[in-house]
Amino acid sequence: MRRRPDDPPNTAAPAATLDDLIRRRCTRRALLGGGCGVLAAGLLPDGIGRVLANAPDATRFRFTEIARGVDRTHHVAPGYRAAVLIRWGDPVLAGAAAFDPHAQSATAQRRQFGYNNDFIGYVPLHAGAQGSAHGLLCVNHEYTVESLMFPATTADTDWHPGARGRRIDTEMAAHGGSILEVRRVAGRWRVVDASRYARRISALDTPIRLSGPAAGHPRLRTAADPRGTRVIGTLANCA
């Protein structure tokens, strides 16, 4: 049978995984006893290896377990606290409209914090200790849940072609990513309003330049970009 051009290639001899390498060098007894900690760190990239090899004793991270249950309170272990930094619909860019779940639009969502993030990266803006209290928070917005995003409406309104199209555009605008300037003040993190660093990346209209070995590949060439080095937006990206 002839392979389709977009079929994944077959690998006859897959490379050994990190687990395979560790198992070859460590016995289960040694691993459970912690004897392979330095070895495992040595198999990782240099920076990560140094972090693991010099990791503090695990006892420093012990905390009192909270009771299992479901209620309206966000519970954390004693000695810890949780606070909301930013929510879906909160402003990211200057001039963003106040969030209104009954009047959502792609135009508003392009300037507001997007939906469902599962990656958060912190980039300090300063060197040293000052950088640990002032930097950029880079957050992805992987997917949307229509039934939770939009209030229940009548069936006619819900499935009207025009309303449906507006919902789809709003969901597309809620994908992508947000870049926030954040600062820790008096022990609490805050988003810096109207920051010059703030950005919203959506699946609708954010141009993205492709780089690396995939750039220019025939499968990336389109009528809009025959060179295969530019796409519009990012959709369903995961951490």
Side-chain angles (χ1 to χ4, degrees), residues 76-98:
V76 295
Y80 293 81
R81 67 168 181 256
V84 175
L85 179 69
I86 191 168
R87 305 164 298 178
W88 164 52
D90 282 348
V92 171
L93 302 181

Side-chain angles (χ1 to χ4, degrees), residues 46 136 163 167 194 219:
D46 185 53
L136 302 181
R167 285 192 173 198
R219 293 186 183 179

Side-chain angles (χ1 to χ4, degrees), residues 60-219:
R60 298 184 185 180
F61 297 99
R62 288 178 179 171
F63 55 88
T64 303
E65 183 178 358
I66 61 176
R68 182 172 57 185
V70 178
D71 59 26
R72 292 180 177 272
T73 303
H74 183 181
H75 297 273
V76 295
Y80 293 81
R81 67 168 181 256
V84 175
L85 179 69
I86 191 168
R87 305 164 298 178
W88 164 52
D90 282 348
V92 171
L93 302 181
F99 179 64
D100 182 352
H102 297 278
Q104 298 183 58
S105 70
T107 300
Q109 182 65 83
R110 282 186 180 98
R111 308 184 74 83
Q112 298 166 336
F113 193 69
Y115 210 81
N116 278 335
N117 56 279
D118 67 344
F119 170 82
I120 299 177
Y122 179 75
V123 181
L125 288 174
H126 309 279
Q130 189 180 2
S132 64
H134 183 206
L136 302 181
L137 208 61
C138 306
V139 183
N140 84 313
H141 304 298
E142 182 186 0
Y143 64 97
T144 53
V145 182
E146 184 182 23
S147 59
L148 298 178
M149 283 185 70
F150 303 98
T153 57
T154 63
D156 290 342
T157 303
D158 206 24
W159 292 100
H160 184 276
R164 190 68 176 171
R166 287 192 294 272
R167 285 192 173 198
I168 292 172
D169 286 347
T170 301
E171 290 189 70
M172 295 282 280
H175 280 74
S178 293
I179 299 177
L180 314 166
E181 182 181 357
V182 294
R183 188 186 294 273
R184 189 170 60 208
V185 180
R188 299 294 182 105
W189 286 97
R190 299 283 187 268
V191 175
V192 177
D193 294 333
S195 168
R196 64 188 180 94
Y197 298 108
R199 287 197 62 193
R200 265 294 280 119
I201 299 164
S202 81
L204 281 174
D205 54 8
T206 305
I208 296 176
R209 180 177 62 86
L210 302 176
S211 61
H217 191 279
R219 293 186 183 179

